[in-house]
Amino acid sequence: MGKKSKRGSGPRPGSNRAERVAARKERQAAAMAPPPRPFAGLAAECDLVALRSFVASATARLDLVESGTDRNDVSLATILPGAVPALVRDVDGGPEGLVAMQTDPDPEDLAAGLAEAIDWATRSAPGADYAPAGTDKTLAELIAPDSALDIVVHDDFSWWFPPGTDVPAEIADMLQRANDSIMPTARLTPKSGVGAPWWVDSGERAHLRWVRPEAEDDLMNALARLHAAGHLTLGEGSRFAGSFRTHGLLVPVFDLDNELHHEEWSDGLNQFDEWLTEALEETGDLNTAELRSRDGIRGRQVTLR
């Protein structure tokens, strides 16, 4: 009887070969994984994350790298009817592309999926069904990397349809349900211009979610310094609620008194912005109180995606 073949049995657990195989598989998986910050390198990164993660109804005209008579104007949108990635419609006698940040299903690689939708929307005819064909262009090759978004926040989803459009009866109910789900929302602007602070009134209370561009550890240390110093606040009527990660960025969250209009938080926002800027400039080790603060903040942290 011949010897039993060892071919295909794989490396023995604990062997050097097993470690090398495992390391190779990890490198291959990392190379295939989408980037943790899909919108990194774009000036609009923080707002793109907000539009993708929690803003209900908003649009923004994109500053395209290539534009002209042979290219459609394209606007970014939070979500489109049917949660499709993109559509092209006829507006004032010309084609206009709309590209969604929130889709169903989500692309595995958000940056590549968004680039594909933008490229399609620039060259498709009004009424065409979205049919992804792939693109060799990156987001930075399609939209101006240093361009900020001029975002228009909407109270409803009437912008889904061009002015004067008769909404079909089978869509009217869906549109009304979507409109009823929208909460009052506003984009605030800090003096520093850093990040994207968004205010939303959820009913019982309001919230401020400030998408920040800094590396997580740097921002976490700065928040810990402010907490220990009693400066982790937007002023009376506010409370630091925690933070969450989304698309590679950290988002501090404050609960707010919703009796105050979003514009009434400007002074508190700018004071906190000043304190946070100073705390981010500190590079020394955290002291004992600051370390306790950091542990407490991390304990209330969640990850959305």
Side-chain angles (χ1 to χ4, degrees), residues 27 56 81 240 255:
R27 290 194 299 272
F240 179 70
D255 290 340

Side-chain angles (χ1 to χ4, degrees), residues 24-271:
R24 184 172 68 249
K25 288 182 177 180
E26 288 181 5
R27 290 194 299 272
Q28 291 172 341
M32 295 175 62
R37 290 177 62 167
F39 313 121
L42 301 176
E45 178 186 16
C46 292
D47 275 315
L48 289 171
V49 169
L51 296 177
R52 162 74 190 163
S53 300
F54 54 80
V55 178
S57 180
T59 56
R61 179 62 59 87
L62 289 176
D63 184 6
L64 299 174
V65 173
E66 296 182 15
S67 59
T69 56
D70 62 336
R71 296 272 178 171
N72 302 335
D73 290 333
V74 176
S75 291
L76 205 62
T78 46
I79 192 169
L80 295 172
V84 297
L87 58 82
V88 178
R89 62 188 184 181
D90 210 357
V91 178
D92 296 329
E96 176 194 44
L98 288 172
V99 174
M101 294 297 298
Q102 303 168 28
T103 62
D104 186 16
D106 291 330
E108 290 187 10
D109 187 329
L110 289 178
L114 183 59
E116 187 175 48
I118 292 172
D119 196 29
W120 178 89
T122 64
R123 51 186 171 76
S124 296
D129 291 331
Y130 180 66
T135 181
D136 58 357
K137 296 180 179 179
T138 66
L139 283 176
E141 292 171 329
L142 290 165
I143 59 178
D146 59 350
S147 177
L149 292 178
D150 185 9
I151 299 173
V152 179
V153 178
H154 302 276
D155 295 329
D156 56 27
F157 288 102
S158 60
W159 53 269
W160 276 355
F161 305 95
T165 300
D166 292 328
V167 180
E170 62 271 18
I171 295 179
D173 288 343
M174 179 270 293
L175 180 62
Q176 186 59 52
R177 289 194 299 272
N179 289 342
D180 291 343
S181 70
I182 295 177
M183 295 178 286
T185 303
R187 167 65 153 87
L188 306 184
T189 304
K191 284 184 178 179
S192 70
V194 176
W198 283 84
W199 171 93
V200 59
D201 185 352
S202 62
E204 293 185 1
R205 65 184 65 182
H207 308 279
L208 183 92
R209 299 166 179 149
W210 197 335
V211 187
R212 301 289 308 191
E214 296 86 6
E216 181 178 331
D217 286 345
D218 294 341
L219 180 56
M220 188 63 68
N221 286 347
L223 294 175
R225 295 182 196 279
L226 294 185
H227 182 271
H231 289 164
L232 193 54
T233 176
L234 299 183
E236 185 177 354
S238 73
R239 181 184 70 86
F240 179 70
S243 61
F244 63 89
R245 300 184 192 93
T246 181
H247 305 310
L249 298 182
L250 192 62
V251 185
V253 180
F254 293 86
D255 290 340
L256 306 176
D257 180 358
N258 63 357
E259 292 296 321
L260 299 178
H261 192 266
H262 69 268
E263 293 178 347
E264 296 181 79
W265 291 103
S266 293
D267 289 344
L269 181 80
N270 286 322
Q271 177 60 81

